[in-house]
Amino acid sequence: MIIDAHSHVHDPVHSHIALLDEAGVDRAVLFGTRPHPERATDLTSLRHEMSVLSETISGRSSGPDGHEAAREELAAACAAHPDRFIGFGKVRLDLSAQQIAEEVEREVVGRGFRGIGELTPPPGGAGLIEPVLRAAADHGGLPVVVHGFAPTTAEDLTTLAALARRHPSVPLVIGQLGGMNWLTAIELARNAPNVYLELSTANIVFAVRLAIGEVPDRTLFGSDAPYGDPLLARATIERVTGPGALRDRVLGGTLAELLGL
């Protein structure tokens, strides 16, 4: 089974299904989203969507209404295509630890989602995810995905690795291979056995090759669609691996084990 470990709800959803079919991808982990760059038709509309993205990845909350709209889009896409999408639910980080635990219970477990993410703490604020990790551990070690590209910093990645070591039952997935800090992300993952690296949007093919070589059992194929493309992301993995067990693990086997598929 080939599984894209990182994608966001598309509008319309069938355009995403078409991309997965083209790439020969069986299933995709799907996150809710406020920005929809695939809706843009010109520079002005794309700038608008990217401004929403900037707010999101900078950790600025849209308030309960924005989160709820994204959740409903995600739930609808997963309900329409349960054979293709694996839903992960996002929780707000600007809440108390008790409220976060309640959100995980209600909005992740209660909706039948299989993990938590994509979390977007503000730069310098990676420590805010610790209550989420505690709640994930309380529910059998739900995987938690954290945004790894800018504005996430190298110091944030170090914090994430330290938090992962405090919560060893929780698979902590660093998205986008840590962005420009990919070398730091690989070094940290080597020494934190429950840290996984999702490989989308890597700037350098060598970074993907190195990550797979250093942590072969904890690297995950992902596209970050619609920002990335499943076909190109899969081609990158296949470019740096040969046919066989390792490639199969990266393209979906490891994630299937984490999710019990």
Side-chain angles (χ1 to χ4, degrees), residues 5 173 196-200 218-222 250 254-255 258:
V173 181
Y196 292 71
L197 300 176
E198 182 271 309
L199 302 170
S200 66
R218 289 181 284 119
T219 40
L220 308 173
F221 153 63
V250 176
T254 295
L255 185 56
L258 280 180

Side-chain angles (χ1 to χ4, degrees), residues 1-4 23-28 221 234 238 251-252:
M1 184 183 297
I2 296 178
I3 309 172
D4 183 342
V25 174
D26 299 297
R27 305 188 71 180
F221 153 63
R234 178 178 176 179
E238 294 178 343
L251 286 176

Side-chain angles (χ1 to χ4, degrees), residues 15-41:
S15 66
H16 191 184
I17 297 291
L19 289 174
L20 297 177
D21 289 343
E22 180 187 23
V25 174
D26 299 297
R27 305 188 71 180
V29 168
L30 195 64
F31 306 126
T33 182
R34 289 195 298 129
H36 279 283
E38 73 281 5
R39 291 174 178 165
T41 58

Side-chain angles (χ1 to χ4, degrees), residues 17-18 27 30 42 48 52 59 74 77 86 95 97 99 109 111 121 127 132 168 187 193 196 223 227 250 253:
I17 297 291
R27 305 188 71 180
L30 195 64
D42 55 23
H48 169 73
V52 178
L74 174 62
I86 304 164
L95 303 174
Q99 288 172 316
V109 178
R111 288 179 180 260
V132 181
E187 290 171 339
Y196 292 71
S223 70
Y227 304 96
V250 176

Side-chain angles (χ1 to χ4, degrees), residues 45-130:
S45 55
L46 181 59
R47 280 192 178 278
H48 169 73
E49 296 296 342
M50 297 306 283
S51 70
V52 178
L53 174 65
S54 179
E55 290 180 0
T56 299
I57 63 177
S58 296
R60 297 195 291 275
S61 174
S62 62
D65 291 343
H67 280 273
E68 186 59 28
R71 284 174 181 149
E72 293 305 324
E73 276 191 333
L74 174 62
C78 291
H81 302 280
D83 58 328
R84 304 305 296 273
F85 294 137
I86 304 164
F88 273 41
K90 186 172 183 177
V91 298
R92 291 171 56 189
L93 299 177
D94 59 338
L95 303 174
S96 69
Q98 179 61 37
Q99 288 172 316
I100 286 174
E102 292 169 357
E103 278 219 341
V104 170
E105 174 75 35
R106 182 180 64 252
E107 302 296 346
V108 179
V109 178
R111 288 179 180 260
F113 294 146
R114 304 297 293 270
I116 302 171
E118 176 188 14
L119 300 181
T120 53
L128 291 172
I129 76 160
E130 185 157 26

